[in-house]
Amino acid sequence: MSAGMMETMVGRLPFGVTPEQPGEGQESVWDYPRPPRLESSTRHLVVRFGDAVVADSTSAYRVLETSHPPTWYVPRDDVDSARLRRSRARSTMCEWKGAATYWDVLGDDGAVLEAGAWSYETPTPTFADIAGALSFSPAQLTCELDGEVARAQEGGFYAGWITSDVVGPFKGIPGSWGW
């Protein structure tokens, strides 16, 4: 990010937030838009529950939103449907994407991760491309992007994938409630 862009952006930042300076090949989550944007990607995503591969894709989507690391959505065709079952978890509402449907993730030997994945079966028009695609949280599963294991956002609510190519600070850390 250029010094001029940083100066322009500082007027829009929450009080006390200083974005990290991205290095070569990195993105700042403070350059992401609000409302969020959907982007297709050919990067290689793998999601595991224990040793079981739940999803493997090179045709996923990422949602980019100010202050959040990307949240990834894997097309249903790239998810092992035998590893999913509809969850009893109640739907939640995203102001941008619509009503979420939750899925239990099934591992080996009867292991079950309740509400370990979610989808938007009938998303808002802006997010129509992710209809039925599944998202997974690196706080609960092993989520890899091009072979790098993603770290979870702090705070337990958001499910962005923190990898070496994004810099923050990220929503979810202490003191970020009002961001």
Side-chain angles (χ1 to χ4, degrees):
M1 175 180 334
S2 70
M5 179 178 250
M6 180 71 83
E7 287 173 19
T8 301
M9 201 170 79
V10 167
R12 297 180 294 159
L13 292 171
F15 179 76
V17 173
T18 302
E20 295 173 32
Q21 185 70 30
E24 181 80 26
Q26 292 182 315
E27 300 174 340
S28 170
V29 298
W30 293 95
D31 290 334
Y32 293 165
R34 187 162 174 87
R37 177 178 71 234
L38 184 64
E39 280 186 358
S40 62
S41 176
T42 59
R43 296 184 71 182
H44 187 206
L45 280 73
V46 177
V47 177
R48 290 184 174 80
F49 182 32
D51 292 331
V53 173
V54 178
D56 190 332
S57 182
T58 55
S59 57
Y61 287 88
R62 64 185 194 150
V63 173
L64 307 176
E65 181 177 358
T66 305
S67 78
H68 297 270
T71 303
W72 291 87
Y73 288 82
V74 180
R76 191 72 51 99
D77 289 345
D78 294 342
V79 176
D80 182 351
S81 61
R83 299 269 176 208
L84 296 175
R85 74 172 180 218
R86 181 79 181 259
S87 180
R88 286 185 256 166
R90 218 167 75 190
S91 179
T92 58
M93 185 62 110
C94 170
E95 67 182 306
W96 310 113
K97 295 180 287 295
T101 299
Y102 288 89
W103 302 88
D104 296 339
V105 179
L106 311 175
D108 294 328
D109 301 325
V112 176
L113 176 59
E114 293 183 13
W118 66 96
S119 63
Y120 294 91
E121 297 300 302
T122 54
T124 61
T126 301
F127 290 91
D129 287 343
I130 61 167
L134 288 129
S135 190
F136 304 89
S137 171
Q140 300 177 301
L141 299 153
T142 302
C143 299
E144 299 175 14
L145 182 61
D146 293 333
E148 179 183 353
V149 175
R151 293 179 293 120
Q153 275 177 273
E154 288 184 54
F157 181 75
Y158 303 103
W161 294 26
I162 300 174
T163 53
S164 60
D165 59 346
V166 294
V167 297
F170 307 107
K171 185 166 181 116
I173 62 172
S176 66
W177 180 83
W179 292 2

